[in-house]
Amino acid sequence: AQSVTQLDSQVPVFEEAPVELRCNYSSSVSVYLFWYVQYPNQGLQLLLKYLSGSTLVKGINGFEAEFNKSQTSFHLRKPSVHISDTAEYFCAVENQGGSEKLVFGKGTKLTVNP
Amino acid sequence: DAGVIQSPRHEVTEMGQEVTLRCKPISGHDYLFWYRQTMMRGLELLIYFNNNVPIDDSGMPEDRFSAKMPNASFSTLKIQPSEPRDSAVYFCASTDGPFNGYTFGSGTRLTVV
């Protein structure tokens, strides 16, 4: 079975600073990888996804993530954050060719301070 | 499309009462998922359907929980009887394929007192 570890439960940063949210996964087969964002009192929204091909994936709101197969990681980055990026971010994994269900990490709460 | 629609947004009920949560997936999406979110356990998959058929209900906590999908545009999650430990936010999500990610509803915040 696959699993996802988000190494930081909370990440505080100042506005316009760069940020990296870390995600490691475990699976015995090839996977698809996703990042979702959850704003307060809302459902999750898809930020970006890695299916195959280029290991650098660009998503909405200026976020990007890099797939590293050897390190089984899929870290999320943004070069300059805004106050509006304050939210919880979830990494998720899905086995290729297996069931269609996503397994989510426990989330990282990003707080952007002025 | 209006997205995935869940109702009610908030539900407060007394222990022992029956609770029914509702979900309308995006038209054309043939996968539907029910998740529960708590501070302690994060996001847990309860059950998912494909073409209205339950595929995996291994996450349903116990017999008090049941889910149905009578047609492609409607699903319910029922808890009977409800207990305080069922208090959580329940999300419904749908997708038209495993590569496309899920679209989530806004959730139902359930409080059992």
Side-chain angles (χ1 to χ4, degrees):
Chain A
Q2 68 272 46
S3 66
V4 177
T5 301
Q6 292 184 244
L7 296 159
D8 305 298
S9 59
Q10 297 188 56
V11 173
V13 296
F14 288 108
E15 193 173 17
E16 297 183 6
V19 70
E20 178 179 83
L21 306 183
R22 297 180 293 168
C23 172
N24 286 87
Y25 68 92
S26 172
S27 177
S28 56
V29 300
S30 296
V31 296
Y32 302 124
L33 293 156
F34 303 81
W35 275 98
Y36 285 81
V37 59
Q38 184 179 30
Y39 299 103
N41 300 313
Q42 294 186 27
L44 282 72
Q45 301 174 32
L46 181 64
L47 261 184
L48 50 78
K49 61 185 177 185
Y50 171 78
L51 304 181
S52 64
S54 172
T55 57
L56 184 63
V57 179
K58 295 189 183 299
I60 62 171
N61 300 339
F63 283 93
E64 63 181 30
E66 186 156 20
F67 170 56
N68 187 318
K69 187 174 182 179
S70 62
Q71 297 187 6
T72 60
S73 68
F74 191 54
H75 301 332
L76 181 71
R77 303 185 183 101
K78 186 169 183 178
S80 175
V81 293
H82 303 292
I83 299 285
S84 59
D85 292 323
T86 295
E88 189 148 20
Y89 292 80
F90 293 89
C91 183
V93 63
E94 177 183 345
N95 283 348
Q96 291 187 25
S99 72
E100 298 77 13
K101 58 184 182 182
L102 288 178
V103 173
F104 286 87
K106 290 195 177 298
T108 298
K109 179 74 171 74
L110 174 65
T111 302
V112 181
N113 298 301
Chain B
D1 203 314
V4 176
I5 300 172
Q6 291 188 247
S7 64
R9 285 298 308 273
H10 302 274
E11 177 82 35
V12 180
T13 191
E14 292 185 347
M15 183 173 61
Q17 296 298 306
E18 177 179 295
V19 175
T20 299
L21 312 181
R22 296 172 176 80
C23 175
K24 176 179 168 52
I26 290 175
S27 177
H29 283 193
D30 49 12
Y31 292 89
L32 183 140
F33 304 82
W34 281 100
Y35 280 85
R36 177 171 68 176
Q37 185 179 37
T38 61
M39 289 289 290
M40 292 297 295
R41 301 171 69 92
L43 274 163
E44 303 172 277
L45 176 64
L46 301 177
I47 185 171
Y48 81 95
F49 296 83
N50 179 215
N51 292 321
N52 314 335
V53 176
I55 303 300
D56 183 349
D57 65 355
S58 59
M60 296 286 262
E62 47 198 275
D63 291 346
R64 297 184 298 107
F65 286 69
S66 62
K68 294 182 179 179
M69 193 164 185
N71 57 62
S73 58
F74 184 66
S75 177
T76 60
L77 178 68
K78 187 176 294 186
I79 308 172
Q80 165 63 20
S82 57
E83 297 183 3
R85 59 192 168 118
D86 302 329
S87 296
V89 181
Y90 291 81
F91 287 104
C92 176
S94 70
T95 185
D96 57 358
F99 321 122
N100 296 327
Y102 298 176
T103 301
F104 280 78
S106 298
T108 296
R109 182 174 296 276
L110 173 65
T111 304
V112 183
V113 298

